[in-house]
Amino acid sequence: MATAKKAAKKTAAKKPAAKKSAAKKPAAKKSAAKKPAAKKAPAAKRKPNEAFMKAMQPSSQLAAVVGNSPMPRTEVTKKIWDYIKKNKLQDGVNKRLINADDKLRAVFGGKNKVSMFEMTKLVSGHLK
């Protein structure tokens, strides 16, 4: 009889354990509670590079397009683009190309079409 009691205790002990595992609920999905991003303090205004702001004298060919007074590179670029847009020299099909007129052809080294990236390189050779 002692063995029967032990066997009954073992089975009784196993049943509650089985109920516990069956009674486990599936893990609930945690909602992703995101905190709002911390706002950074507004950064100080960016200081322009002094090399770009230094007034430079345009060559005589470039002066025909942008004017003869010394000005920073940024102003030279703005004035060239104003001239290109005013005279509709930007290529209709490929907007990255500039079709040179007589004044710009002198600046571009005799080339009829120049890409906008090549233009900056060619213009920098006309600034002293």
Side-chain angles (χ1 to χ4, degrees), residues 36-114:
K39 292 185 179 179
K40 294 180 181 178
K45 278 205 163 191
R46 226 174 78 163
K47 192 174 180 182
N49 189 338
E50 289 181 25
F52 289 118
M53 300 314 292
K54 180 182 172 188
M56 302 186 79
Q57 181 65 42
S59 69
S60 59
Q61 294 95 357
L62 185 57
V65 177
V66 298
N68 199 22
S69 62
M71 63 186 82
R73 288 176 188 266
T74 54
E75 282 298 314
V76 170
T77 305
K78 285 179 188 176
K79 288 191 178 202
I80 288 175
W81 273 107
D82 290 341
Y83 180 82
I84 290 168
K85 290 177 182 177
K86 177 183 166 190
N87 295 308
K88 298 179 182 171
L89 298 175
Q90 200 168 2
D91 192 53
V93 177
N94 187 352
K95 299 275 187 185
R96 291 179 290 185
L97 293 177
I98 290 104
N99 300 320
D101 63 355
D102 293 332
K103 290 181 181 180
L104 281 180
R105 198 172 292 116
V107 175
F108 294 161
K111 295 182 180 180
N112 289 329
K113 283 191 177 189
V114 174

